[in-house]
Each structure stands twice: as C-alpha cells, then as structure tokens.
Amino acid sequence: MPELPEIETIRRGLTPHLVGHTIKRAAVYQHALRWPIPATLAKTLAGQTIRSLRRRAKYLLIDLDQGTLIIHLGMSGRLYLLKHASKHGTHDHCEFFLEDDHVLRFTDPRRFGAILWTTAAANEHPLLASLGPEPLEKNFSADYLWRITRKRTVAIKLFIMTNQHVVGIGNIYAAESLFAAGISPLKPAGELTHSQCTHLVAAIRNVLRAAIRAGGTTLKDFVNGDGKPGYFSQQLHVYGRAAQPCIRCHTLLTSIAMGQRSTVYCAHCQK
DNA sequence: AGAGGTACCTGGCAGC
DNA sequence: TGCTGCCAGGTACCTC
C-alpha cells in the first residue's frame, strides 16, 4: 500500500516524464472514488501543461497552468506511465493523454483514492490546510513531538498516525519506527520522555529515508508495459511478523489490535 | 478538545 | 470446486 516513501518515489519517478508536457485530453471512466472526480475535470485539463510535481503528506500535487491536481492513492491506488495508449481495465479509473503519446493512468481497485482539482493554492485546500509537519522536515523535531504529546493519553502509535500531529506515517512505518526506537506502541503519548521523543523522531526519519532510498532503486522500471511501478519490499522488522521471533532478542512478537489496526511489536525490546 | 468508533471498497485467503 | 465471510488499510467524519 502506498505510504509516504512510495508517493515520494512516484513523484521523483514521474517528474522527468511529465514536467513540461501538455495534457492533450483526459478520460474519466469511474467518477466514484473516495470523493467524486469532478465532472468537468477532463474538459478542464485539456490543453494544460504540467509545471511541477510536489508532495504533501501522501498527496501528490500536479501543478498545471491553471490549477493543481490533488491525487491520493488511498490503499490500492497506482499511478504510472504507459508509452502508448492501450485498452483500460476494470480498475483503471482515469487516464491523462500527453502530447508525446505517453499516458498517465490512475488505477485503484479499492477506490479509496482521490483525484481532485483546485485553482487555489493547493496548501489551502481543505484536505491539506490542517495537516501537521512533514516528518522529514526540520519542524518535526524532538522538541515539537515532546511539546505536543504532553498530557496526551492516547497511545503513541495512534498519536503519530494522526495527520494533524505529523503526516505520512501509516500502519507499517508506525510499527517499524516504534520498534527501531524501542518504544511500546501502547505507551501513552504524554509519558514519553524527551529522550524517547528524540529517538522516535530519529527512527521515523531513518525508516522513511531508507524506504525512499530503496524506492529509488526501482525507478528505472517506472515506465513499463505492465504498469507496475515496482513498490519496493522494505526489510520489515515487526510489521507482518506476528508470532515470529524478534530480530534482536528472539522473543516471539506480540500482535494486538489498536484502533482497528493490527499492531505488531516486541514486548521485550519495546517499553 | 480529546478520544474512540465508523464508513468507504474489493482482492485474497481461510474455512466450510 | 464453489461459496461465504473476514481481513487489510488511509483518513475524513461522526459521536460521546
């Protein structure tokens, strides 16, 4: 499932193929995503040139002449380039045909994704306006995490997965970061020491950066026939390893549900 | 304001 | 083999 590193990988992979190119026409085959694709989108985009690709949280922002496409891949979304137009399938919901014959295709079997259009500054869009800091930027610091967690009783895993606090940390990277920092996912956020905040911020950064680096190695496969951008399989230490031995202490990993999400951790290494 | 729960959707898999 | 039923997950939004 696309998390922040995947979106960043997609942004970097698509940028050289899209920037400066013009959308000849667009086609929407399925409007019913998380929110409806605007009915007039295809008409709006025709003839506009792509200026830049940005990322905010897990949103990909494609700047055009007259506004910005806001794209979210949800759970199962994929965005990839085809060298030539080809017949679209059941889960291909939207296509952007470029003047150089490439086709940017949005595919999303579970339809948790979104394609929206705004003519205002994208960061002012309601979906983006109240997002917290980017985990890889300076304003996501130990001091910041320490300050906003004070007196908060919610479990730290749920806390860091909340977008107003810090963006882009989904279930997988939350579990991995907490393991790397040696902090129990169940620990009330307000009980983290300043030192633990330091470790957690560093762990989140390291895990995300490693995943982005791993994604970079698959970029050469980004434009291909089968439409698989080649999501990297990161080395996961706890996620998906319930009841398997901890890589550090060999204690069997514990699996619990938190906020209706599976959570795997080492009860020995994570306090 | 904080905490907790719900909905959306469908492929894949376990169980019968 | 074929059916049913559950699970996975991101995140806006609802309720208490």
Side-chain angles (χ1 to χ4, degrees):
Chain A
M1 58 299 309
E3 298 227 22
L4 185 147
E6 285 86 343
I7 308 301
E8 183 60 22
T9 298
I10 289 167
R11 187 191 71 78
R12 293 180 187 183
L14 287 178
T15 292
H17 300 284
L18 295 185
V19 171
H21 290 278
T22 300
I23 297 177
K24 207 164 50 179
R25 68 181 184 92
V28 177
Y29 310 112
Q30 167 65 273
H31 282 85
L33 301 184
R34 169 144 203 179
W35 296 283
I37 295 179
T40 56
L41 185 74
K43 202 177 169 187
T44 302
L45 296 183
Q48 292 202 49
T49 298
I50 297 168
R51 298 303 177 188
S52 59
L53 273 70
R54 293 177 290 147
R55 180 189 59 74
R56 176 72 172 109
K58 294 178 187 171
Y59 294 94
L60 183 70
L61 308 176
I62 302 183
D63 295 311
L64 294 146
D65 293 326
Q66 294 163 30
T68 302
L69 270 174
I70 301 175
I71 298 180
H72 198 290
L73 298 183
M75 282 289 309
S76 57
R78 295 210 317 259
L79 195 61
Y80 55 92
L81 268 181
L82 300 169
K83 283 178 180 156
H84 307 283
S86 71
K87 195 172 182 297
H88 65 271
T90 320
H91 303 304
D92 302 330
H93 306 315
C94 189
E95 288 181 326
F96 306 92
F97 299 88
L98 306 182
E99 94 291 341
D100 66 355
D101 282 347
H102 280 64
V103 181
L104 181 65
R105 179 181 276 175
F106 176 88
T107 302
D108 186 6
R110 295 186 198 177
R111 306 201 337 246
F112 275 25
I115 299 180
L116 299 170
W117 171 252
T118 180
T119 53
N123 285 337
E124 291 167 18
H125 190 277
L127 286 174
L128 307 188
S130 57
L131 294 176
E134 289 286 329
L136 296 177
E137 290 187 2
K138 286 197 188 106
N139 52 352
F140 180 62
S141 63
D143 284 342
Y144 167 80
L145 184 62
W146 159 263
R147 183 163 45 79
I148 63 169
T149 49
R150 292 311 88 192
K151 299 189 177 166
R152 298 298 298 270
T153 58
V154 69
I156 186 61
K157 175 167 181 259
L158 299 178
F159 191 90
I160 59 172
M161 288 177 69
T162 298
N163 274 338
Q164 291 104 293
H165 304 146
V166 56
V167 300
I169 302 174
N171 202 35
I172 296 174
Y173 293 117
E176 293 298 317
S177 300
L178 286 163
F179 176 76
I183 298 168
S184 166
L186 294 163
K187 192 176 185 71
E191 290 180 16
L192 264 72
T193 63
H194 194 279
S195 163
Q196 285 178 313
C197 289
T198 303
H199 286 127
L200 184 52
V201 166
I204 287 169
R205 290 223 177 95
N206 290 340
V207 167
L208 292 177
R209 285 206 185 104
I212 291 171
R213 275 199 302 276
T217 64
T218 68
L219 284 185
K220 58 176 93 61
D221 301 329
F222 207 84
V223 184
N224 60 28
D226 65 7
K228 296 221 171 78
Y231 291 137
F232 42 87
S233 52
Q234 219 208 336
Q235 188 62 42
L236 299 174
H237 294 143
V238 287
Y239 180 82
R241 295 193 64 243
Q244 294 179 46
C246 170
I247 55 138
R248 279 196 204 129
C249 74
H250 307 295
T251 301
L252 297 188
L253 297 178
T254 306
S255 177
I256 56 168
M258 292 181 70
Q260 292 86 254
R261 286 290 109 90
S262 74
T263 300
V264 184
Y265 69 105
C266 176
H268 180 257
C269 294
Q270 295 176 252
K271 299 294 184 192

